[in-house]
Amino acid sequence: MPIVFSEVSHAYPTDPSYLALDRIQFQIQEGQFVGIIGPTGSGKSTLLQHFNAILRPTSGRVQILDFQITPGEKIHDVKKLRQRIGLVFQFPEQQLFAETVEQDLCFGPLNFGATTDEAKALAVSALELVGLGTDLLDRSPFQLSGGQMRKVAIASVLAMNPDVLVLDEPTATLDPKSRADFLELLHKLCKQQNKTVIVVTHRLDEVLPYTDHLLVMHEGRIGFEGSNMELFQQAEMLKKCKMAIPKPFQILRTCELITHQAVALSTPNERATFSIEWVAHQIDRMMTAWYTSVEGEVSHAAKVHLRQSD
Amino acid sequence: MQQKFIFGRVIETGSWVHQLDPRSKMTAMALFAVIVVMLQSLTDFIVVTATSQIVLYSTRIKLTTYWRAVRPLKYLMLFIFLFQIFLESGGELLVSWGPIQIYSGGILTAVFTVWRMFLFVSFTALLTFTTAPAKLTQGLEDILKPLSIFRISAQKIALMLTIALRFIPTILEETQRIVKAQASRGADLKELPWKDKAKTMIALLVPVTVCAFRRAEDLVNSMESRGYQLDAPRSKYFILTWQKQDTLFLSIFVLLGILVFFI
Ligand SMILES: Nc1ncnc2c1ncn2[C@@H]1O[C@H](COP(=O)(O)OP(=O)(O)OP(=O)(O)O)[C@@H](O)[C@H]1O
Ligand SMILES: [Mg+2]
């Protein structure tokens, strides 16, 4: 079942006149990998907290799995909703609260009815998923390094094995290797276990290789919704939304200008990944086409020249 | 959750109360506290309530915002209310049911006590809502200056208060963040039965305290690395000036005091 936001607005009670979300409207299909980008303060975190009803819309409606989230109505089984939708908040390292890492990891599973042994097993496997050793289990979460805390916090959500994973800048403070590994993990969860993954990020080029669908937020509204390729074609729009155009886009755009060719997909179903290999391949294709056309012109010019010198 | 934790936050509207000298506001608060304690008759209560609400209204912050500042105390107030009703025995006997006896005097005292608390808390919220903590403590420092003859450092007290005030909203936000994190992992405070609610609340204490200590340590380090020394002479960030409006503001409370005390 797709996730549907219809005309969702949200105003924080501290300032009811300001809409942090302003009539948001979009759809996400089951099993998609979705990237959400947007400048600081554009409402990304506010949006994400609507996915598991931590925040309620002040108007509009959210439809997710078989739940309806509306302003007034009580949600039938909030706990079930939160079990199936795992939300990793921004700055997850600030959300640890238990005495040991193990207790923190077990918190979710235990609340959702796992036995102690099951929960412990889930904790261990989640910790391994994010690339941490089990030697951390007995440590206090407050004595870990920043990156370790973040990984534990992410693992604590993975341990609940949700159907939909919603993450708010999960990779922000990790080292490059861990960042790549983690996105790879999310991609695997998405493709192999058919989980829907929704990631907020400031590094567009980092998620482009994985995303099926992109949302660009700007001042509480959706500024763009579409595929990677569509975003590339409308890249100027990013500037209007106060965002930088990612490097791969700039490189390909320049190449297009030089060669008078266009970036194109070889089959309609191909996903434009904008990874290094993909970009190199596109450049190669455009350059070759350019040479061929120029070659024709050159030989033509040469013939004319020869005829004249006769 | 969000609405409950508004105590200790400045709400800027630029009203005349916002621009008052913190010393006049603090003195006025002290007077108001005395007045509230001395209230006796219903007329007193009505006059003081009306005046205080008018003053609150003139800050251009919604009155409901002030009333909400009382919300965290609702259970305490309820407890005190019931305590007074059941234990105070003056006036006529209204209800007698087994060991429970309710007198009219009891009801009156109960209502008045709760009313007092409400007046006091909602009105003192004015101080924190309209005054930047830095100004507040600077005012306090000035007021406490005479204590230096007893070898008590006004600066030290002011610094402690600045930090405490500064961190009230931060720690509340931190708490809220953890509450949210717990809720999204299946322990929603709102949904839990009473017993578990208490348990979860206690479970909150540990991380929040740890965070507070961690913050304190960071703060000490960052202050020291920028050369802060206690009791070293420092220039002031705000220059406090006493103006006509301050005298006016203070005289409202002096008059109110006289009114309640002598009439
Ligand atoms: N708890 C809150 N109370 C009141 N206003 C808030 C609160 N949280 C966020 N806002 C406001 O809502 C707007 C959107 O904030 P949000 O946190 O969703 O932005 P964001 O897109 O996640 O930004 P960032 O990239 O910096 O994380 C901002 O203008 C912010 O000031
Ligand atoms: Mg955010």
Side-chain angles (χ1 to χ4, degrees):
Chain A
M1 211 187 274
I3 298 169
V4 185
F5 275 63
S6 1
E7 296 275 316
V8 172
S9 298
H10 186 90
Y12 281 98
T14 39
D15 185 5
S17 61
Y18 175 73
L19 287 181
L21 293 184
D22 187 0
R23 285 163 286 153
I24 295 279
Q25 180 105 18
F26 65 83
Q27 274 206 22
I28 292 172
Q29 303 304 325
E30 200 175 294
Q32 270 187 331
F33 195 113
V34 181
I36 300 181
I37 55 169
T40 299
S42 54
K44 302 179 299 291
S45 303
T46 312
L47 179 70
L48 288 201
Q49 289 170 52
H50 281 77
F51 278 90
N52 71 349
I54 289 287
L55 291 180
R56 295 290 199 89
T58 35
S59 73
R61 121 190 333 254
V62 179
Q63 188 194 325
I64 185 162
L65 303 172
D66 31 10
F67 298 89
Q68 301 283 339
I69 307 175
T70 51
E73 277 169 68
K74 200 166 158 39
I75 300 170
H76 172 55
D77 195 353
V78 174
K79 207 162 160 179
K80 189 84 193 149
L81 169 74
R82 298 203 172 135
Q83 175 177 17
R84 295 184 57 194
I85 295 166
L87 174 63
V88 178
F89 289 85
Q90 192 168 17
F91 312 117
E93 57 273 22
Q94 294 170 359
Q95 287 132 30
L96 300 167
F97 45 80
E99 275 163 59
T100 66
V101 169
E102 186 172 36
Q103 282 173 19
D104 216 289
L105 290 168
C106 291
F107 187 83
L110 286 177
N111 278 324
F112 296 127
T115 64
T116 317
D117 288 338
E118 282 166 359
K120 281 186 177 172
L122 285 168
V124 171
S125 58
L127 206 56
E128 278 165 357
L129 273 184
V130 296
L132 290 178
T134 46
D135 50 318
L136 292 185
L137 282 175
D138 299 324
R139 298 264 292 274
S140 157
F142 303 108
Q143 289 163 0
L144 303 177
S145 81
Q148 284 171 330
M149 281 193 210
R150 178 164 288 244
K151 286 182 176 180
V152 168
I154 293 171
S156 69
V157 172
L158 292 179
M160 305 179 339
N161 193 23
D163 300 330
V164 179
L165 269 166
V166 186
L167 308 109
D168 198 347
E169 293 187 40
T171 59
T173 55
L174 297 181
D175 62 287
K177 167 96 172 47
S178 300
R179 280 214 301 271
D181 287 350
F182 182 63
L183 284 168
E184 209 48 67
L185 167 69
L186 288 182
H187 190 236
K188 213 171 73 189
L189 290 173
C190 177
K191 294 303 161 212
Q192 293 177 1
Q193 301 182 23
N194 199 31
K195 292 187 192 302
T196 311
V197 176
I198 296 152
V199 189
V200 162
T201 181
H202 280 296
R203 299 166 199 253
L204 180 54
D205 36 352
E206 204 172 75
V207 290
L208 276 174
Y210 308 106
T211 48
D212 302 306
H213 198 67
L214 287 168
L215 298 174
V216 179
M217 292 202 62
H218 180 51
E219 293 178 351
R221 293 164 150 272
I222 299 283
F224 167 90
E225 183 185 4
S227 67
N228 295 357
M229 196 61 184
E230 283 160 345
L231 183 65
F232 172 69
Q233 276 149 1
Q234 300 171 36
E236 287 306 309
M237 180 272 319
L238 286 174
K239 273 195 197 149
K240 257 186 248 140
C241 295
K242 300 210 175 62
M243 265 175 302
I245 298 180
K247 281 274 151 55
F249 283 18
Q250 293 182 19
I251 293 169
L252 286 172
R253 181 67 78 220
T254 315
C255 189
E256 282 186 338
L257 287 176
I258 295 173
T259 61
H260 305 289
Q261 305 288 322
V263 170
L265 301 177
S266 46
T267 64
N269 287 337
E270 186 195 338
R271 204 160 49 83
T273 66
F274 294 92
S275 63
I276 292 177
E277 295 79 18
W278 193 85
V279 170
H281 172 74
Q282 288 287 335
I283 293 176
D284 180 47
R285 202 184 44 74
M286 284 192 271
M287 284 293 190
T288 320
W290 181 44
Y291 281 136
T292 330
S293 67
V294 173
E295 220 169 39
E297 273 170 41
V298 169
S299 61
H300 177 70
K303 273 179 207 152
V304 171
H305 180 75
L306 281 175
R307 215 173 295 145
Q308 279 169 355
S309 62
D310 268 351
Chain B
M1 279 272 115
Q2 268 133 353
Q3 300 96 311
K4 284 184 200 161
F5 298 143
I6 46 177
F7 196 76
R9 244 178 240 177
V10 179
I11 302 170
E12 198 53 70
T13 61
S15 75
W16 76 293
V17 181
H18 284 76
Q19 278 142 26
L20 290 175
D21 189 307
R23 290 170 295 187
S24 78
K25 281 192 253 188
M26 275 194 266
T27 322
M29 282 308 137
L31 273 177
F32 189 77
V34 175
I35 293 170
V36 166
V37 172
M38 291 196 314
L39 293 178
Q40 302 250 308
S41 68
L42 189 62
T43 350
D44 287 351
F45 268 99
I46 291 172
V47 170
V48 170
T49 310
T51 321
S52 72
Q53 299 301 305
I54 290 170
V55 173
L56 292 183
Y57 185 75
S58 74
T59 61
R60 287 197 249 142
I61 299 169
K62 279 201 214 112
L63 283 180
T64 44
T65 317
Y66 288 104
W67 300 341
R68 265 194 243 137
V70 184
R71 273 235 296 247
L73 297 179
K74 60 186 171 198
Y75 295 116
L76 181 68
M77 284 165 87
L78 185 70
F79 175 74
I80 290 177
F81 186 79
L82 294 176
F83 194 79
Q84 299 276 13
I85 280 194
F86 293 135
L87 292 185
E88 186 73 31
S89 55
E92 298 168 45
L93 182 64
L94 295 179
V95 180
S96 179
W97 190 67
I100 298 172
Q101 288 171 330
I102 297 178
Y103 293 87
S104 64
I107 293 185
L108 207 63
T109 329
V111 170
F112 277 177
T113 314
V114 170
W115 198 340
R116 273 200 186 98
M117 279 181 79
F118 173 80
L119 277 177
F120 184 68
V121 176
S122 67
F123 197 71
T124 40
L126 173 134
L127 199 60
T128 49
F129 283 174
T130 66
T131 325
K135 276 194 181 169
L136 209 60
T137 42
Q138 198 177 324
L140 190 76
E141 198 178 327
D142 272 22
I143 290 180
L144 293 183
K145 218 160 240 163
L147 287 182
S148 62
I149 26 175
F150 304 113
R151 296 283 205 89
I152 297 171
S153 159
Q155 202 193 1
K156 226 183 250 177
I157 297 177
L159 177 70
M160 281 193 309
L161 266 165
T162 321
I163 294 174
L165 284 175
R166 162 69 186 72
F167 278 99
I168 291 173
T170 320
I171 290 179
L172 290 180
E173 258 158 45
E174 212 129 78
T175 315
Q176 206 186 323
R177 193 154 41 213
I178 295 175
V179 168
K180 271 186 176 181
Q182 292 186 336
S184 65
R185 285 200 258 150
D188 200 330
L189 270 184
K190 276 180 259 169
E191 313 277 326
L192 287 175
W194 264 100
K195 205 181 97 212
D196 293 339
K197 205 177 251 188
K199 234 178 11 193
T200 323
M201 293 276 245
I202 291 169
L204 270 178
L205 282 177
V206 177
V208 171
T209 320
V210 171
C211 276
F213 274 107
R214 222 171 14 171
R215 278 194 185 278
E217 224 175 274
D218 288 349
L219 188 71
V220 168
N221 289 339
S222 78
M223 282 171 78
E224 281 183 352
S225 66
R226 280 187 272 171
Y228 184 86
Q229 257 181 317
L230 206 58
D231 286 327
R234 307 176 70 222
S235 54
K236 300 267 190 262
Y237 190 62
F238 296 107
I239 294 170
L240 302 181
T241 46
W242 189 276
Q243 285 170 326
K244 269 209 299 285
Q245 288 95 311
D246 295 300
T247 319
L248 177 70
F249 188 71
L250 199 55
S251 48
I252 295 176
F253 295 92
V254 174
L255 284 178
L256 197 63
I258 292 173
L259 208 71
V260 170
F261 203 50
F262 294 106
I263 302 171

